[in-house]
Amino acid sequence: MLKIRNLSHFYQEKQVFSISNWEIHKGENWLILGKSGSGKSTLLHILAGLLSPTQGQIFFQDTEFTQLKGEKLDLFRAQNIGFVFQKSHLVQTLSVLDNLLLVPFLAKEKSNKEKAENLLSKLNVLHKKKDLPKNLSQGEQQRISIARALMLSPKLILADEPTASLDDENAQEVIALFKQVSQELNATLLIATHDQRIKNQFSNIFQM
Ligand code: ADP
Ligand code: MG
Protein backbone atom coordinates (compact mmCIF):
# COMPACT_ATOMS: atom_id res chain seq x y z
CA MET A 1 0.00 0.00 0.00
CA LEU A 2 3.05 2.28 0.41
CA LYS A 3 5.92 2.40 -2.05
CA ILE A 4 8.90 4.56 -1.33
CA ARG A 5 11.36 5.31 -4.13
CA ASN A 6 14.69 7.15 -3.86
CA LEU A 7 13.45 9.24 -0.98
CA SER A 8 15.87 11.59 0.73
CA HIS A 9 15.74 14.66 2.87
CA PHE A 10 18.20 17.44 3.51
CA TYR A 11 18.10 20.21 6.09
CA GLN A 12 20.17 22.96 4.50
CA GLU A 13 23.12 21.04 3.02
CA LYS A 14 22.97 18.18 5.50
CA GLN A 15 21.43 14.90 4.36
CA VAL A 16 19.26 13.31 7.04
CA PHE A 17 18.47 10.02 5.29
CA SER A 18 18.22 8.32 1.95
CA ILE A 19 15.94 5.36 1.20
CA SER A 20 16.24 3.80 -2.24
CA ASN A 21 13.37 1.35 -2.13
CA TRP A 22 10.89 0.34 0.57
CA GLU A 23 7.54 -1.38 0.12
CA ILE A 24 4.98 -1.69 2.85
CA HIS A 25 1.98 -3.93 2.35
CA LYS A 26 -1.52 -3.41 3.66
CA GLY A 27 -1.97 -4.49 7.26
CA GLU A 28 1.74 -4.85 8.03
CA ASN A 29 3.28 -3.62 11.28
CA TRP A 30 6.70 -1.99 11.00
CA LEU A 31 9.15 -0.66 13.53
CA ILE A 32 11.39 2.15 12.27
CA LEU A 33 14.39 1.75 14.53
CA GLY A 34 17.30 4.15 14.86
CA LYS A 35 19.20 6.19 17.35
CA SER A 36 18.38 9.78 18.20
CA GLY A 37 19.07 12.09 15.26
CA SER A 38 18.88 9.35 12.61
CA GLY A 39 15.90 11.00 10.91
CA LYS A 40 12.93 8.98 12.19
CA SER A 41 10.72 11.95 13.02
CA THR A 42 11.63 13.60 9.73
CA LEU A 43 10.63 10.44 7.85
CA LEU A 44 7.31 10.14 9.71
CA HIS A 45 6.48 13.78 9.02
CA ILE A 46 7.18 13.19 5.33
CA LEU A 47 5.02 10.04 5.32
CA ALA A 48 2.23 12.06 6.96
CA GLY A 49 2.50 14.80 4.34
CA LEU A 50 3.47 17.35 6.98
CA LEU A 51 6.89 17.90 5.38
CA SER A 52 7.82 17.80 1.72
CA PRO A 53 10.87 15.60 0.99
CA THR A 54 13.86 17.09 -0.81
CA GLN A 55 13.81 14.23 -3.31
CA GLY A 56 11.91 11.10 -4.19
CA GLN A 57 8.46 9.64 -4.40
CA ILE A 58 5.89 8.04 -2.13
CA PHE A 59 2.99 6.11 -3.62
CA PHE A 60 0.04 5.55 -1.32
CA GLN A 61 -2.07 2.88 -3.00
CA ASP A 62 -2.62 4.45 -6.43
CA THR A 63 -1.91 8.02 -5.42
CA GLU A 64 1.46 9.66 -5.84
CA PHE A 65 1.27 11.17 -2.42
CA THR A 66 4.34 13.38 -2.87
CA GLN A 67 2.55 15.25 -5.71
CA LEU A 68 -0.41 16.32 -3.54
CA LYS A 69 -0.52 19.87 -2.23
CA GLY A 70 -2.74 22.24 -0.28
CA GLU A 71 -6.34 21.24 0.24
CA LYS A 72 -6.00 17.95 -1.65
CA LEU A 73 -3.15 16.90 0.60
CA ASP A 74 -5.06 17.94 3.74
CA LEU A 75 -8.10 15.96 2.65
CA PHE A 76 -6.03 12.90 1.70
CA ARG A 77 -4.24 13.01 5.04
CA ALA A 78 -7.49 13.38 7.00
CA GLN A 79 -9.08 10.46 5.15
CA ASN A 80 -6.12 8.09 5.27
CA ILE A 81 -3.56 8.82 7.94
CA GLY A 82 -3.66 8.85 11.73
CA PHE A 83 -0.64 10.37 13.44
CA VAL A 84 0.30 9.98 17.10
CA PHE A 85 2.93 12.59 17.85
CA GLN A 86 5.65 12.33 20.43
CA LYS A 87 3.85 14.94 22.52
CA SER A 88 0.10 14.55 22.78
CA HIS A 89 -0.85 18.09 21.56
CA LEU A 90 -4.35 17.83 23.00
CA VAL A 91 -6.40 21.03 23.09
CA GLN A 92 -6.14 21.93 26.75
CA THR A 93 -9.39 23.94 26.93
CA LEU A 94 -11.52 21.11 25.54
CA SER A 95 -12.69 17.96 27.30
CA VAL A 96 -11.34 14.59 26.23
CA LEU A 97 -14.52 13.86 24.29
CA ASP A 98 -14.48 17.24 22.55
CA ASN A 99 -10.83 16.71 21.59
CA LEU A 100 -11.97 13.62 19.70
CA LEU A 101 -15.04 15.30 18.18
CA LEU A 102 -12.81 18.09 16.87
CA VAL A 103 -11.28 15.64 14.39
CA PRO A 104 -14.37 15.01 12.21
CA PHE A 105 -15.31 18.68 12.58
CA LEU A 106 -11.98 19.83 11.12
CA ALA A 107 -12.22 17.21 8.36
CA LYS A 108 -15.76 18.45 7.52
CA GLU A 109 -17.20 15.06 8.36
CA LYS A 110 -20.26 14.19 10.42
CA SER A 111 -19.81 14.29 14.16
CA ASN A 112 -19.65 10.79 15.62
CA LYS A 113 -19.98 10.70 19.37
CA GLU A 114 -20.66 6.98 19.41
CA LYS A 115 -17.38 6.27 17.64
CA ALA A 116 -15.46 8.56 20.00
CA GLU A 117 -16.93 6.80 23.02
CA ASN A 118 -16.23 3.38 21.53
CA LEU A 119 -12.59 4.26 21.02
CA LEU A 120 -12.27 5.70 24.52
CA SER A 121 -13.83 2.56 25.89
CA LYS A 122 -11.49 0.29 23.91
CA LEU A 123 -8.53 2.24 25.25
CA ASN A 124 -9.88 2.09 28.82
CA VAL A 125 -10.32 5.84 29.25
CA LEU A 126 -14.06 6.29 28.72
CA HIS A 127 -14.48 7.34 32.36
CA LYS A 128 -12.26 10.35 31.57
CA LYS A 129 -14.38 11.70 28.71
CA LYS A 130 -15.51 14.84 30.54
CA ASP A 131 -12.09 15.66 31.99
CA LEU A 132 -9.67 18.25 30.71
CA PRO A 133 -6.37 16.83 29.40
CA LYS A 134 -4.36 18.47 32.19
CA ASN A 135 -6.15 16.32 34.76
CA LEU A 136 -5.00 13.08 33.13
CA SER A 137 -1.84 11.09 33.69
CA GLN A 138 0.70 10.95 30.88
CA GLY A 139 -0.32 7.41 30.00
CA GLU A 140 -3.98 8.44 29.84
CA GLN A 141 -3.15 11.44 27.64
CA GLN A 142 -1.33 9.11 25.33
CA ARG A 143 -4.36 6.82 25.08
CA ILE A 144 -6.47 9.87 24.20
CA SER A 145 -4.04 10.79 21.42
CA ILE A 146 -4.22 7.25 20.08
CA ALA A 147 -8.03 7.41 20.14
CA ARG A 148 -7.90 10.79 18.40
CA ALA A 149 -5.67 9.41 15.64
CA LEU A 150 -8.19 6.63 15.01
CA MET A 151 -11.33 8.81 14.82
CA LEU A 152 -11.48 8.73 11.01
CA SER A 153 -10.47 5.05 10.72
CA PRO A 154 -7.12 5.68 9.02
CA LYS A 155 -5.58 3.17 6.61
CA LEU A 156 -2.13 4.14 7.86
CA ILE A 157 -1.24 4.74 11.51
CA LEU A 158 2.02 6.56 12.28
CA ALA A 159 3.39 6.90 15.80
CA ASP A 160 6.53 8.73 16.88
CA GLU A 161 8.33 7.36 19.97
CA PRO A 162 5.11 6.25 21.70
CA THR A 163 6.99 4.42 24.45
CA ALA A 164 9.74 6.95 25.17
CA SER A 165 8.44 8.04 28.56
CA LEU A 166 6.88 4.75 29.68
CA ASP A 167 8.14 2.09 32.05
CA ASP A 168 8.73 -1.44 30.74
CA GLU A 169 5.27 -2.76 31.48
CA ASN A 170 3.42 0.23 29.99
CA ALA A 171 5.72 0.28 26.97
CA GLN A 172 4.81 -3.31 26.09
CA GLU A 173 1.14 -2.62 26.75
CA VAL A 174 0.99 0.45 24.50
CA ILE A 175 2.59 -1.47 21.64
CA ALA A 176 0.13 -4.33 22.11
CA LEU A 177 -2.66 -1.74 22.02
CA PHE A 178 -1.38 -0.21 18.78
CA LYS A 179 -1.19 -3.64 17.19
CA GLN A 180 -4.65 -4.59 18.38
CA VAL A 181 -6.40 -1.45 17.15
CA SER A 182 -4.58 -1.41 13.82
CA GLN A 183 -5.55 -5.02 13.24
CA GLU A 184 -9.17 -4.24 14.04
CA LEU A 185 -9.13 -1.38 11.53
CA ASN A 186 -7.17 -3.49 9.04
CA ALA A 187 -4.71 -0.60 9.00
CA THR A 188 -0.98 -0.49 8.38
CA LEU A 189 1.10 0.50 11.40
CA LEU A 190 4.47 2.29 11.42
CA ILE A 191 6.11 3.07 14.74
CA ALA A 192 9.34 5.08 14.95
CA THR A 193 11.50 4.51 18.00
CA HIS A 194 14.97 4.39 19.49
CA ASP A 195 13.53 2.08 22.16
CA GLN A 196 15.23 -1.32 21.86
CA ARG A 197 12.81 -2.80 24.42
CA ILE A 198 9.98 -3.17 21.91
CA LYS A 199 11.78 -4.62 18.91
CA ASN A 200 10.83 -8.18 19.81
CA GLN A 201 7.20 -7.28 19.17
CA PHE A 202 7.87 -6.63 15.47
CA SER A 203 8.84 -8.95 12.66
CA ASN A 204 9.35 -6.05 10.22
CA ILE A 205 12.12 -3.71 11.26
CA PHE A 206 13.33 -0.82 9.13
CA GLN A 207 16.73 0.30 10.39
CA MET A 208 17.47 4.01 9.90
P1 ADP B 1 15.12 11.37 15.12
O1 ADP B 1 13.64 11.50 15.18
O2 ADP B 1 15.59 10.03 14.62
O3 ADP B 1 15.77 11.69 16.43
P2 ADP B 1 15.03 13.77 13.49
O4 ADP B 1 14.31 13.46 12.25
O5 ADP B 1 14.30 14.52 14.54
O6 ADP B 1 15.67 12.43 14.06
O7 ADP B 1 16.33 14.61 13.14
C1 ADP B 1 17.30 14.14 12.22
C2 ADP B 1 18.42 15.19 12.07
O8 ADP B 1 17.90 16.36 11.45
C3 ADP B 1 19.02 15.65 13.39
O9 ADP B 1 20.38 15.84 13.19
C4 ADP B 1 18.30 16.94 13.68
O10 ADP B 1 19.10 17.79 14.44
C5 ADP B 1 18.08 17.49 12.29
N1 ADP B 1 16.85 18.31 12.18
C6 ADP B 1 15.61 17.93 12.54
N2 ADP B 1 14.71 18.89 12.27
C7 ADP B 1 15.41 19.92 11.71
C8 ADP B 1 15.04 21.21 11.20
N3 ADP B 1 13.78 21.62 11.21
N4 ADP B 1 16.04 21.98 10.69
C9 ADP B 1 17.31 21.56 10.67
N5 ADP B 1 17.73 20.36 11.13
C10 ADP B 1 16.79 19.54 11.65
MG1 MG C 1 12.33 11.78 16.75
Side-chain angles (χ1 to χ4, degrees):
M1 74 152 337
L2 267 184
K3 286 189 185 143
I4 294 171
R5 299 276 182 265
N6 298 319
L7 190 73
S8 62
H9 195 71
F10 289 72
Y11 289 117
Q12 288 88 40
E13 259 85 83
K14 191 170 159 271
Q15 181 168 327
V16 189
F17 65 78
S18 166
I19 299 170
S20 57
N21 196 2
W22 183 18
E23 281 196 32
I24 298 163
H25 301 102
K26 189 172 162 56
E28 283 181 350
N29 296 333
W30 280 85
L31 195 66
I32 300 168
L33 192 63
K35 57 185 191 323
S36 177
S38 60
K40 304 179 297 296
S41 295
T42 301
L43 174 60
L44 280 196
H45 283 82
I46 290 171
L47 292 175
L50 297 167
L51 178 68
S52 191
T54 313
Q55 261 175 24
Q57 294 169 299
I58 301 167
F59 297 91
F60 192 117
Q61 287 165 342
D62 297 326
T63 305
E64 189 178 349
F65 182 58
T66 24
Q67 290 293 322
L68 298 178
K69 292 190 176 66
E71 260 179 57
K72 276 193 179 156
L73 174 60
D74 290 338
L75 187 64
F76 189 88
R77 183 193 304 115
Q79 288 174 342
N80 292 288
I81 301 172
F83 200 126
V84 182
F85 294 93
Q86 204 161 349
K87 283 193 178 162
S88 57
H89 298 295
L90 297 166
V91 180
Q92 294 296 326
T93 51
L94 293 179
S95 71
V96 163
L97 185 60
D98 286 340
N99 264 279
L100 297 201
L101 296 178
L102 188 59
V103 177
F105 176 77
L106 292 176
K108 299 192 172 83
E109 298 213 352
K110 259 200 312 197
S111 186
N112 195 341
K113 190 170 168 212
E114 195 186 343
K115 173 142 196 191
E117 292 186 340
N118 271 335
L119 284 168
L120 291 173
S121 166
K122 194 169 286 173
L123 293 159
N124 291 322
V125 277
L126 183 58
H127 58 295
K128 299 285 180 185
K129 69 175 179 178
K130 292 183 178 154
D131 286 19
L132 291 174
K134 70 169 169 26
N135 295 328
L136 306 179
S137 74
Q138 202 176 19
E140 287 164 347
Q141 291 197 32
Q142 192 181 33
R143 282 160 194 266
I144 310 303
S145 1
I146 298 173
R148 181 182 55 181
L150 302 178
M151 271 301 285
L152 301 179
S153 302
K155 299 187 182 78
L156 175 65
I157 300 169
L158 304 172
D160 198 2
E161 304 278 6
T163 57
S165 53
L166 302 177
D167 61 32
D168 291 355
E169 191 180 328
N170 280 303
Q172 302 301 334
E173 194 186 313
V174 158
I175 296 305
L177 210 53
F178 267 109
K179 289 170 75 170
Q180 181 201 330
V181 289
S182 56
Q183 193 178 3
E184 282 172 16
L185 288 171
N186 200 11
T188 304
L189 173 66
L190 300 188
I191 293 183
T193 194
H194 72 279
D195 188 349
Q196 300 279 341
R197 294 176 301 175
I198 56 176
K199 69 178 181 194
N200 293 339
Q201 295 207 44
F202 290 81
S203 46
N204 298 309
I205 294 188
F206 186 87
Q207 187 73 45
M208 289 292 285

